[in-house]
Amino acid sequence: MNTQIGRLDSEIKIPFFQINGKPRLVDVTYSSFTIEWDKPTIAVPSYYMVYFRKKSEHDNWECITTNDKSCSLEITDLPLNTEFVVKVRA
């Protein structure tokens, strides 16, 4: 998805749970974006781990762990005109 701050490529990897679809971009600002994803169809986890990194670099993945069963997350303090890759795991 192309946005004013760049492009977000989303990918979802859930090793033990079935997920219906990929993370979706639902909101963008000049320094943040919000993604959401579908709950697994079997055994809803108590938290999710959201990994992200700049697409153009081979940096280490940054990880944010949700505090609840919510299926959305806002990622903030991002640089302008940058593409990101996002993965969600249960």
Side-chain angles (χ1 to χ4, degrees):
M1 174 175 280
N2 290 318
T3 67
Q4 275 189 328
I5 62 169
R7 185 169 170 226
L8 171 69
D9 284 342
S10 62
E11 179 179 331
I12 195 147
K13 302 252 183 198
I14 305 286
F16 303 110
F17 301 108
Q18 178 71 32
I19 290 289
N20 295 325
K22 296 180 178 183
R24 297 173 299 279
L25 184 64
V26 295
D27 190 33
V28 177
T29 71
Y30 69 94
S31 64
S32 70
F33 61 81
T34 302
I35 59 169
E36 65 180 19
W37 56 91
D38 296 326
K39 291 180 182 177
T41 56
I42 301 172
V44 176
S46 59
Y47 64 92
Y48 296 91
M49 294 171 290
V50 179
Y51 295 88
F52 68 99
R53 69 170 172 82
K54 294 178 184 175
K55 183 177 181 182
S56 62
E57 299 176 11
H58 295 286
D59 290 341
N60 291 332
W61 291 91
E62 294 187 51
C63 181
I64 299 173
T65 301
T66 64
N67 294 328
D68 55 23
K69 296 177 183 181
S70 174
C71 291
S72 67
L73 181 70
E74 179 182 23
I75 300 175
T76 60
D77 299 321
L78 301 172
L80 294 172
N81 298 319
T82 306
E83 294 180 359
F84 293 90
V85 178
V86 177
K87 298 179 182 183
V88 179
R89 293 190 176 178

Coordinates of all heavy atoms in Angstrom, one line a residue:
M1 N 0.8 -1.2 0.0 CA 0.0 0.0 0.0 C 0.9 1.2 0.0 O 1.8 1.3 0.8 CB -0.9 0.0 1.2 CG -1.7 1.2 1.4 SD -2.9 1.2 2.7 CE -4.2 0.2 1.9
N2 N 0.7 2.2 -0.9 CA 1.4 3.4 -0.9 C 0.8 4.5 -0.1 O -0.4 4.6 -0.1 CB 1.6 3.9 -2.4 CG 2.4 3.0 -3.2 OD1 3.5 2.6 -2.7 ND2 2.0 2.7 -4.4
T3 N 1.6 5.2 0.7 CA 1.1 6.3 1.5 C 1.9 7.5 1.4 O 3.0 7.4 0.7 CB 1.1 5.8 3.0 OG1 2.5 5.7 3.4 CG2 0.3 4.5 3.2
Q4 N 1.6 8.6 2.1 CA 2.4 9.8 2.0 C 3.8 9.5 2.6 O 4.8 10.1 2.2 CB 1.7 10.9 2.8 CG 0.8 11.7 1.9 CD 0.3 12.9 2.6 OE1 0.2 12.9 3.9 NE2 0.0 14.0 1.9
I5 N 3.9 8.7 3.6 CA 5.2 8.4 4.3 C 6.0 7.3 3.6 O 7.1 7.0 4.0 CB 5.0 8.2 5.8 CG1 4.3 6.9 6.1 CG2 4.5 9.3 6.5 CD1 4.3 6.5 7.5
G6 N 5.4 6.7 2.6 CA 6.1 5.6 2.0 C 5.2 4.4 1.6 O 4.0 4.6 1.4
R7 N 5.7 3.3 1.7 CA 5.0 2.1 1.3 C 5.1 1.1 2.4 O 6.2 0.9 3.0 CB 5.6 1.5 0.0 CG 4.8 0.3 -0.5 CD 5.3 0.0 -1.9 NE 4.7 -1.3 -2.2 CZ 5.3 -2.3 -2.8 NH1 6.6 -2.2 -3.1 NH2 4.7 -3.4 -3.0
L8 N 4.0 0.4 2.7 CA 4.0 -0.6 3.8 C 3.7 -2.0 3.1 O 2.7 -2.1 2.5 CB 2.9 -0.3 4.8 CG 2.6 -1.4 5.8 CD1 3.8 -1.5 6.7 CD2 1.4 -1.1 6.6
D9 N 4.7 -2.9 3.2 CA 4.5 -4.2 2.8 C 4.1 -5.0 4.0 O 4.9 -5.0 5.0 CB 5.7 -4.8 2.1 CG 5.9 -4.3 0.7 OD1 5.0 -3.7 0.2 OD2 7.1 -4.4 0.2
S10 N 3.0 -5.7 4.0 CA 2.6 -6.5 5.2 C 2.8 -8.0 4.9 O 2.6 -8.4 3.8 CB 1.2 -6.1 5.6 OG 0.3 -6.5 4.6
E11 N 3.1 -8.7 5.9 CA 3.2 -10.1 5.8 C 2.8 -10.7 7.2 O 3.1 -10.1 8.2 CB 4.7 -10.4 5.5 CG 5.0 -11.9 5.5 CD 6.5 -12.1 5.1 OE1 7.1 -11.2 4.5 OE2 7.0 -13.1 5.6
I12 N 2.2 -11.8 7.2 CA 1.8 -12.4 8.5 C 2.3 -13.8 8.6 O 2.3 -14.5 7.6 CB 0.2 -12.3 8.7 CG1 -0.1 -12.6 10.1 CG2 -0.5 -13.3 7.8 CD1 -1.3 -11.9 10.6
K13 N 2.9 -14.1 9.7 CA 3.5 -15.4 10.0 C 3.0 -15.8 11.3 O 3.4 -15.3 12.3 CB 5.0 -15.3 10.0 CG 5.6 -14.8 8.7 CD 6.2 -15.9 7.9 CE 6.9 -15.3 6.7 NZ 7.2 -16.2 5.7
I14 N 2.2 -16.8 11.4 CA 1.7 -17.4 12.6 C 2.1 -18.9 12.6 O 1.5 -19.6 11.9 CB 0.2 -17.2 12.8 CG1 -0.2 -15.7 12.6 CG2 -0.3 -17.8 14.1 CD1 0.2 -14.8 13.8
P15 N 3.0 -19.3 13.5 CA 3.5 -20.7 13.4 C 2.4 -21.7 13.8 O 2.4 -22.8 13.2 CB 4.7 -20.7 14.3 CG 4.5 -19.5 15.2 CD 3.7 -18.5 14.5
F16 N 1.6 -21.4 14.8 CA 0.7 -22.4 15.3 C -0.8 -22.2 15.1 O -1.6 -23.0 15.4 CB 0.9 -22.6 16.8 CG 2.4 -23.0 17.1 CD1 3.2 -22.1 17.7 CD2 2.9 -24.2 16.7 CE1 4.5 -22.4 18.0 CE2 4.2 -24.5 17.0 CZ 5.0 -23.6 17.6
F17 N -1.1 -21.0 14.6 CA -2.5 -20.6 14.5 C -2.9 -20.2 13.1 O -2.0 -19.6 12.4 CB -2.9 -19.4 15.4 CG -2.6 -19.7 16.9 CD1 -1.5 -19.2 17.5 CD2 -3.4 -20.6 17.6 CE1 -1.2 -19.5 18.8 CE2 -3.1 -20.9 18.9 CZ -2.0 -20.3 19.5
Q18 N -4.1 -20.5 12.6 CA -4.5 -20.1 11.3 C -5.0 -18.7 11.4 O -5.8 -18.3 12.2 CB -5.7 -21.0 10.9 CG -6.3 -20.7 9.6 CD -5.4 -21.1 8.4 OE1 -4.7 -22.0 8.5 NE2 -5.5 -20.3 7.4
I19 N -4.5 -17.9 10.4 CA -4.9 -16.5 10.4 C -5.6 -16.2 9.0 O -5.2 -16.7 8.0 CB -3.7 -15.5 10.4 CG1 -3.1 -15.5 11.8 CG2 -4.0 -14.1 10.0 CD1 -3.9 -14.9 12.9
N20 N -6.7 -15.5 9.1 CA -7.4 -15.2 7.9 C -7.0 -13.9 7.3 O -7.6 -12.8 7.6 CB -8.9 -15.1 8.2 CG -9.5 -16.5 8.6 OD1 -9.0 -17.5 8.1 ND2 -10.4 -16.5 9.5
G21 N -5.9 -13.9 6.5 CA -5.5 -12.7 5.8 C -4.2 -12.1 6.4 O -3.6 -12.6 7.3
K22 N -3.8 -11.0 5.8 CA -2.6 -10.3 6.2 C -2.9 -9.0 7.1 O -4.0 -8.6 7.1 CB -1.9 -9.8 4.9 CG -1.4 -11.0 4.1 CD -0.7 -10.4 2.8 CE -0.2 -11.5 2.0 NZ 0.6 -11.0 0.8
P23 N -1.9 -8.5 7.7 CA -2.1 -7.2 8.4 C -2.6 -6.2 7.4 O -2.1 -6.2 6.2 CB -0.8 -6.8 9.0 CG 0.0 -8.1 9.0 CD -0.5 -9.0 7.9
R24 N -3.5 -5.3 7.8 CA -4.0 -4.3 6.9 C -3.7 -2.9 7.5 O -3.8 -2.7 8.7 CB -5.5 -4.4 6.8 CG -6.0 -5.7 6.2 CD -7.5 -5.9 6.2 NE -8.0 -5.9 7.6 CZ -8.0 -7.0 8.3 NH1 -7.5 -8.2 7.9 NH2 -8.6 -7.0 9.5
L25 N -3.3 -2.0 6.6 CA -3.0 -0.6 7.0 C -4.3 0.1 7.1 O -5.1 0.1 6.2 CB -2.1 0.0 5.9 CG -1.7 1.4 6.2 CD1 -0.8 1.5 7.4 CD2 -1.0 2.0 5.0
V26 N -4.6 0.7 8.3 CA -5.9 1.3 8.5 C -5.8 2.8 8.8 O -6.8 3.5 8.7 CB -6.7 0.7 9.7 CG1 -7.1 -0.7 9.3 CG2 -5.9 0.7 11.0
D27 N -4.6 3.3 9.1 CA -4.4 4.7 9.3 C -2.9 5.1 9.2 O -2.0 4.3 9.5 CB -4.8 5.1 10.7 CG -4.9 6.7 10.9 OD1 -5.2 7.4 9.9 OD2 -4.7 7.1 12.0
V28 N -2.7 6.3 8.6 CA -1.3 6.8 8.4 C -1.2 8.2 8.8 O -2.1 9.0 8.5 CB -0.9 6.6 6.9 CG1 0.5 7.2 6.6 CG2 -1.0 5.2 6.5
T29 N -0.1 8.6 9.5 CA 0.2 10.0 9.7 C 1.6 10.2 9.1 O 2.2 9.3 8.6 CB 0.1 10.4 11.2 OG1 1.2 9.8 11.9 CG2 -1.2 10.0 11.8
Y30 N 2.1 11.4 9.3 CA 3.5 11.7 8.8 C 4.6 10.9 9.6 O 5.7 10.7 9.1 CB 3.8 13.2 8.9 CG 3.9 13.7 10.3 CD1 5.2 13.8 10.9 CD2 2.8 14.1 11.0 CE1 5.3 14.3 12.2 CE2 2.9 14.6 12.3 CZ 4.2 14.7 12.9 OH 4.3 15.2 14.1
S31 N 4.3 10.4 10.8 CA 5.3 9.7 11.5 C 4.8 8.4 12.2 O 5.4 7.8 13.0 CB 5.8 10.6 12.6 OG 4.8 10.9 13.6
S32 N 3.7 7.8 11.7 CA 3.1 6.6 12.3 C 2.2 5.9 11.3 O 1.8 6.5 10.3 CB 2.4 6.9 13.6 OG 1.2 7.6 13.3
F33 N 1.9 4.7 11.6 CA 0.9 3.9 10.9 C 0.2 3.0 11.9 O 0.8 2.6 12.9 CB 1.3 3.2 9.6 CG 2.4 2.2 9.8 CD1 2.1 0.9 10.2 CD2 3.7 2.5 9.6 CE1 3.0 -0.1 10.4 CE2 4.7 1.5 9.8 CZ 4.4 0.2 10.2
T34 N -1.0 2.6 11.6 CA -1.8 1.7 12.4 C -2.2 0.5 11.5 O -2.6 0.7 10.4 CB -3.1 2.3 12.9 OG1 -2.7 3.5 13.7 CG2 -3.8 1.4 13.8
I35 N -1.9 -0.7 12.0 CA -2.3 -1.9 11.3 C -3.3 -2.7 12.1 O -3.4 -2.5 13.3 CB -1.1 -2.8 11.0 CG1 -0.4 -3.2 12.3 CG2 -0.1 -2.1 10.0 CD1 0.6 -4.3 12.1
E36 N -4.1 -3.5 11.4 CA -5.0 -4.5 12.1 C -4.9 -5.8 11.4 O -4.4 -5.9 10.2 CB -6.4 -4.0 12.1 CG -7.1 -3.8 10.8 CD -8.5 -3.3 10.9 OE1 -8.9 -2.7 11.9 OE2 -9.2 -3.5 9.9
W37 N -5.3 -6.9 12.1 CA -5.2 -8.2 11.5 C -6.4 -9.0 12.1 O -7.0 -8.6 13.1 CB -3.9 -8.9 11.8 CG -3.5 -8.9 13.3 CD1 -3.8 -9.9 14.1 CD2 -2.9 -7.9 14.0 NE1 -3.4 -9.6 15.4 CE2 -2.8 -8.4 15.4 CE3 -2.3 -6.7 13.7 CZ2 -2.2 -7.6 16.4 CZ3 -1.8 -5.9 14.8 CH2 -1.7 -6.4 16.1
D38 N -6.7 -10.1 11.4 CA -7.7 -11.0 11.9 C -7.2 -11.9 13.0 O -6.1 -12.4 13.0 CB -8.3 -11.8 10.7 CG -8.9 -11.0 9.6 OD1 -9.5 -9.9 10.0 OD2 -8.8 -11.4 8.5
K39 N -8.1 -12.3 13.9 CA -7.8 -13.2 15.0 C -7.6 -14.6 14.3 O -8.3 -14.9 13.3 CB -8.9 -13.3 16.0 CG -9.0 -12.1 16.8 CD -10.2 -12.2 17.8 CE -10.3 -11.0 18.6 NZ -11.4 -11.1 19.6
P40 N -6.8 -15.5 14.9 CA -6.7 -16.8 14.4 C -8.1 -17.5 14.6 O -8.9 -17.2 15.4 CB -5.7 -17.5 15.4 CG -4.9 -16.4 16.0 CD -5.9 -15.2 16.0
T41 N -8.3 -18.5 13.7 CA -9.6 -19.2 13.8 C -9.6 -20.3 14.9 O -10.7 -20.7 15.3 CB -9.9 -19.9 12.4 OG1 -8.8 -20.7 12.1 CG2 -10.1 -18.8 11.4
I42 N -8.5 -20.6 15.4 CA -8.4 -21.6 16.5 C -7.5 -21.0 17.6 O -6.5 -20.4 17.4 CB -7.7 -22.9 15.9 CG1 -8.5 -23.5 14.8 CG2 -7.5 -23.9 17.1 CD1 -7.8 -24.6 14.1
A43 N -8.0 -21.2 18.8 CA -7.2 -20.8 20.0 C -6.7 -19.4 19.9 O -5.5 -19.2 19.7 CB -6.1 -21.8 20.2
V44 N -7.5 -18.4 20.3 CA -7.1 -17.0 20.2 C -6.0 -16.8 21.3 O -6.2 -17.1 22.5 CB -8.3 -16.1 20.5 CG1 -7.8 -14.6 20.5 CG2 -9.3 -16.3 19.4
P45 N -4.8 -16.2 20.9 CA -3.7 -16.0 21.9 C -4.0 -14.9 22.8 O -4.9 -14.0 22.5 CB -2.6 -15.7 21.0 CG -3.1 -15.2 19.7 CD -4.5 -15.8 19.5
S46 N -3.3 -14.8 23.9 CA -3.5 -13.7 24.9 C -2.7 -12.4 24.5 O -2.9 -11.4 25.1 CB -3.1 -14.1 26.3 OG -1.8 -14.6 26.3
Y47 N -1.8 -12.5 23.5 CA -1.1 -11.4 23.0 C -0.5 -11.7 21.7 O -0.5 -12.9 21.2 CB 0.1 -11.0 24.0 CG 1.1 -12.1 24.1 CD1 2.3 -12.0 23.3 CD2 1.0 -13.1 25.0 CE1 3.2 -13.0 23.4 CE2 2.0 -14.1 25.1 CZ 3.1 -14.0 24.3 OH 4.1 -15.0 24.4
Y48 N -0.1 -10.7 21.0 CA 0.6 -10.8 19.7 C 1.9 -10.1 19.7 O 2.2 -9.2 20.4 CB -0.2 -10.2 18.5 CG -1.6 -10.8 18.3 CD1 -2.7 -10.4 19.0 CD2 -1.7 -11.9 17.5 CE1 -3.9 -11.0 18.8 CE2 -3.0 -12.5 17.3 CZ -4.1 -12.0 18.0 OH -5.3 -12.6 17.8
M49 N 2.9 -10.6 18.9 CA 4.2 -9.9 18.7 C 4.2 -9.4 17.3 O 4.0 -10.1 16.3 CB 5.3 -10.9 18.9 CG 5.4 -11.4 20.3 SD 6.6 -12.8 20.5 CE 5.7 -14.1 19.6
V50 N 4.4 -8.1 17.2 CA 4.4 -7.4 15.9 C 5.8 -7.0 15.6 O 6.5 -6.2 16.4 CB 3.5 -6.1 15.9 CG1 3.5 -5.4 14.6 CG2 2.1 -6.5 16.3
Y51 N 6.4 -7.5 14.5 CA 7.8 -7.2 14.1 C 7.7 -6.3 12.9 O 6.9 -6.4 12.0 CB 8.5 -8.5 13.7 CG 8.7 -9.5 14.8 CD1 7.7 -10.4 15.1 CD2 9.8 -9.5 15.5 CE1 7.8 -11.4 16.1 CE2 10.0 -10.4 16.6 CZ 9.0 -11.4 16.8 OH 9.2 -12.3 17.8
F52 N 8.7 -5.3 12.9 CA 8.7 -4.4 11.8 C 10.2 -4.0 11.6 O 11.0 -3.9 12.5 CB 7.8 -3.2 11.9 CG 8.2 -2.3 13.0 CD1 8.8 -1.1 12.7 CD2 7.8 -2.5 14.3 CE1 9.2 -0.2 13.8 CE2 8.2 -1.7 15.4 CZ 8.8 -0.5 15.1
R53 N 10.5 -3.6 10.3 CA 11.8 -3.0 10.0 C 11.6 -2.3 8.7 O 10.7 -2.4 7.9 CB 12.9 -4.1 9.9 CG 12.7 -5.0 8.7 CD 13.9 -5.9 8.5 NE 13.7 -6.9 7.5 CZ 13.9 -6.8 6.2 NH1 14.2 -5.6 5.8 NH2 13.7 -7.8 5.4
K54 N 12.7 -1.5 8.4 CA 12.7 -0.8 7.1 C 12.9 -1.8 6.0 O 13.7 -2.7 6.1 CB 13.8 0.3 7.1 CG 13.6 1.4 8.0 CD 14.8 2.3 8.0 CE 14.7 3.4 9.0 NZ 15.9 4.3 9.0
K55 N 12.2 -1.7 4.9 CA 12.3 -2.6 3.8 C 13.6 -2.5 3.1 O 14.2 -3.5 2.7 CB 11.1 -2.4 2.8 CG 11.1 -3.4 1.7 CD 10.0 -3.2 0.8 CE 10.0 -4.3 -0.3 NZ 8.9 -4.1 -1.2
S56 N 14.1 -1.3 3.0 CA 15.4 -1.2 2.2 C 16.6 -1.6 2.9 O 17.7 -1.6 2.3 CB 15.5 0.3 1.8 OG 15.6 1.1 2.9
E57 N 16.5 -1.8 4.2 CA 17.7 -2.2 4.9 C 17.6 -3.6 5.5 O 16.5 -4.1 5.7 CB 18.0 -1.2 6.1 CG 18.2 0.2 5.5 CD 18.3 1.2 6.7 OE1 18.4 0.8 7.8 OE2 18.3 2.4 6.3
H58 N 18.7 -4.2 5.9 CA 18.6 -5.5 6.5 C 18.9 -5.4 8.0 O 19.7 -6.1 8.6 CB 19.6 -6.4 5.8 CG 19.3 -6.7 4.4 ND1 18.3 -7.5 4.0 CD2 19.8 -6.2 3.3 CE1 18.2 -7.6 2.7 NE2 19.1 -6.8 2.2
D59 N 18.2 -4.4 8.6 CA 18.4 -4.2 10.0 C 17.7 -5.3 10.8 O 16.9 -6.1 10.2 CB 17.7 -2.9 10.4 CG 18.4 -1.6 9.9 OD1 19.6 -1.7 9.6 OD2 17.8 -0.5 9.9
N60 N 18.0 -5.4 12.0 CA 17.3 -6.3 12.9 C 15.8 -5.9 13.0 O 15.5 -4.8 12.9 CB 17.9 -6.4 14.3 CG 19.3 -7.0 14.3 OD1 19.6 -7.8 13.4 ND2 20.1 -6.6 15.2
W61 N 14.9 -6.9 13.2 CA 13.5 -6.6 13.4 C 13.3 -6.0 14.7 O 13.9 -6.4 15.7 CB 12.7 -7.9 13.3 CG 12.7 -8.5 11.9 CD1 13.6 -9.5 11.4 CD2 11.7 -8.3 10.9 NE1 13.2 -9.8 10.1 CE2 12.1 -9.1 9.8 CE3 10.6 -7.4 10.8 CZ2 11.3 -9.1 8.6 CZ3 9.9 -7.4 9.6 CH2 10.3 -8.2 8.6
E62 N 12.5 -5.0 14.8 CA 12.0 -4.4 16.1 C 10.7 -5.2 16.4 O 10.0 -5.5 15.5 CB 11.8 -2.9 15.9 CG 13.0 -2.1 15.7 CD 12.8 -0.6 15.8 OE1 12.2 -0.2 16.8 OE2 13.2 0.0 14.8
C63 N 10.5 -5.4 17.7 CA 9.3 -6.1 18.1 C 8.5 -5.4 19.2 O 9.1 -4.8 20.1 CB 9.7 -7.5 18.7 SG 8.3 -8.5 19.2
I64 N 7.2 -5.3 19.0 CA 6.3 -4.7 19.9 C 5.3 -5.9 20.3 O 4.7 -6.5 19.5 CB 5.5 -3.6 19.4 CG1 6.5 -2.4 19.0 CG2 4.5 -3.1 20.4 CD1 5.8 -1.3 18.2
T65 N 5.2 -6.1 21.6 CA 4.3 -7.1 22.1 C 3.0 -6.5 22.6 O 3.1 -5.5 23.4 CB 4.9 -8.0 23.2 OG1 6.1 -8.6 22.7 CG2 4.0 -9.1 23.7
T66 N 1.9 -6.9 22.1 CA 0.6 -6.3 22.6 C 0.3 -6.8 24.0 O 0.8 -7.8 24.4 CB -0.6 -6.7 21.7 OG1 -0.7 -8.1 21.7 CG2 -0.3 -6.3 20.2
N67 N -0.4 -6.0 24.7 CA -0.7 -6.3 26.1 C -2.1 -7.0 26.3 O -2.5 -7.3 27.4 CB -0.8 -5.0 27.0 CG 0.6 -4.4 27.1 OD1 1.6 -5.0 27.1 ND2 0.6 -3.0 27.1
D68 N -2.7 -7.2 25.2 CA -4.1 -7.9 25.2 C -4.4 -8.6 24.0 O -3.5 -8.8 23.1 CB -5.1 -6.8 25.5 CG -5.1 -5.7 24.5 OD1 -4.6 -5.9 23.3 OD2 -5.5 -4.6 24.8
K69 N -5.6 -9.0 23.8 CA -6.0 -9.7 22.6 C -6.4 -8.9 21.4 O -6.9 -9.3 20.4 CB -7.2 -10.6 23.0 CG -6.8 -11.7 24.0 CD -8.0 -12.5 24.4 CE -7.7 -13.5 25.5 NZ -8.8 -14.3 25.9
S70 N -6.2 -7.6 21.6 CA -6.5 -6.6 20.5 C -5.8 -7.0 19.2 O -4.6 -7.4 19.2 CB -6.1 -5.2 20.9 OG -6.3 -4.3 19.9
C71 N -6.5 -6.8 18.1 CA -5.9 -7.1 16.8 C -5.6 -5.9 16.0 O -5.8 -5.8 14.8 CB -6.9 -8.0 16.0 SG -7.0 -9.7 16.7
S72 N -5.0 -4.9 16.7 CA -4.5 -3.7 16.0 C -3.4 -3.1 16.8 O -3.3 -3.3 18.0 CB -5.7 -2.7 15.8 OG -6.1 -2.2 17.0
L73 N -2.6 -2.3 16.1 CA -1.5 -1.6 16.8 C -1.0 -0.4 16.0 O -1.0 -0.5 14.8 CB -0.3 -2.6 16.9 CG 1.0 -2.1 17.6 CD1 0.7 -1.9 19.1 CD2 2.1 -3.0 17.3
E74 N -0.7 0.7 16.7 CA -0.2 1.9 16.1 C 1.3 1.9 16.3 O 1.8 1.7 17.5 CB -0.8 3.1 16.7 CG -0.2 4.4 16.1 CD -0.7 5.7 16.7 OE1 -1.3 5.7 17.8 OE2 -0.7 6.7 16.0
I75 N 2.1 2.0 15.3 CA 3.6 2.1 15.4 C 3.9 3.6 15.1 O 3.6 4.1 14.1 CB 4.2 1.2 14.4 CG1 3.8 -0.3 14.7 CG2 5.7 1.3 14.4 CD1 4.3 -1.3 13.7
T76 N 4.7 4.2 16.0 CA 4.9 5.6 16.0 C 6.4 5.9 15.9 O 7.2 5.1 15.9 CB 4.4 6.3 17.3 OG1 5.0 5.7 18.4 CG2 2.9 6.1 17.4
D77 N 6.7 7.2 15.8 CA 8.0 7.8 15.7 C 8.8 7.2 14.5 O 10.0 6.8 14.7 CB 8.8 7.5 17.0 CG 8.1 8.2 18.2 OD1 7.6 9.3 18.0 OD2 8.1 7.6 19.3
L78 N 8.2 7.2 13.3 CA 8.8 6.6 12.1 C 9.4 7.7 11.3 O 8.9 8.8 11.2 CB 7.8 5.8 11.4 CG 7.2 4.7 12.1 CD1 6.0 4.1 11.3 CD2 8.2 3.6 12.4
P79 N 10.5 7.4 10.5 CA 11.0 8.4 9.6 C 10.1 8.6 8.4 O 9.4 7.7 8.0 CB 12.4 7.8 9.2 CG 12.2 6.4 9.4 CD 11.3 6.2 10.6
L80 N 10.2 9.8 7.7 CA 9.4 10.0 6.5 C 10.0 9.2 5.3 O 11.1 8.9 5.3 CB 9.5 11.5 6.2 CG 8.8 12.4 7.2 CD1 9.1 13.9 6.8 CD2 7.3 12.2 7.2
N81 N 9.1 9.0 4.3 CA 9.5 8.4 3.0 C 10.2 7.1 3.2 O 11.2 6.9 2.6 CB 10.3 9.4 2.2 CG 9.5 10.7 1.9 OD1 8.3 10.6 1.6 ND2 10.1 11.8 2.0
T82 N 9.7 6.3 4.0 CA 10.4 5.0 4.3 C 9.4 3.8 4.1 O 8.2 3.9 4.5 CB 10.9 5.0 5.7 OG1 11.8 6.1 5.9 CG2 11.7 3.7 6.0
E83 N 9.8 2.8 3.5 CA 9.0 1.6 3.3 C 9.3 0.6 4.5 O 10.4 0.5 5.0 CB 9.3 0.9 2.1 CG 9.0 1.6 0.8 CD 9.3 0.9 -0.5 OE1 9.8 -0.2 -0.4 OE2 9.0 1.4 -1.5
F84 N 8.3 0.0 5.0 CA 8.4 -0.9 6.1 C 7.8 -2.3 5.8 O 6.9 -2.4 5.0 CB 7.6 -0.4 7.4 CG 8.3 0.8 7.9 CD1 7.9 2.1 7.5 CD2 9.3 0.8 8.9 CE1 8.4 3.2 8.0 CE2 9.8 1.9 9.4 CZ 9.4 3.1 8.9
V85 N 8.4 -3.3 6.4 CA 7.8 -4.7 6.3 C 7.3 -5.0 7.7 O 8.0 -4.7 8.7 CB 8.9 -5.7 5.9 CG1 8.4 -7.1 5.9 CG2 9.5 -5.3 4.5
V86 N 6.1 -5.6 7.8 CA 5.5 -5.9 9.1 C 5.1 -7.3 9.2 O 4.6 -7.8 8.2 CB 4.3 -5.0 9.3 CG1 3.6 -5.3 10.7 CG2 4.6 -3.5 9.3
K87 N 5.4 -8.0 10.3 CA 5.0 -9.4 10.5 C 4.3 -9.4 11.8 O 4.7 -8.8 12.8 CB 6.2 -10.3 10.5 CG 6.9 -10.4 9.2 CD 8.1 -11.3 9.4 CE 8.9 -11.4 8.1 NZ 10.0 -12.3 8.2
V88 N 3.2 -10.2 11.9 CA 2.5 -10.4 13.2 C 2.5 -11.9 13.5 O 2.2 -12.8 12.7 CB 1.0 -10.0 13.1 CG1 0.3 -10.2 14.4 CG2 1.0 -8.5 12.7
R89 N 2.9 -12.2 14.8 CA 2.9 -13.6 15.2 C 2.2 -13.7 16.5 O 2.1 -12.8 17.3 CB 4.4 -14.0 15.5 CG 5.1 -14.1 14.2 CD 6.4 -14.7 14.3 NE 7.1 -14.8 13.0 CZ 8.3 -15.3 12.8 NH1 9.0 -15.7 13.8 NH2 8.7 -15.4 11.6
A90 N 1.6 -14.9 16.7 CA 0.8 -15.1 18.0 C 1.7 -16.0 18.9 O 2.6 -16.6 18.5 CB -0.4 -15.9 17.7

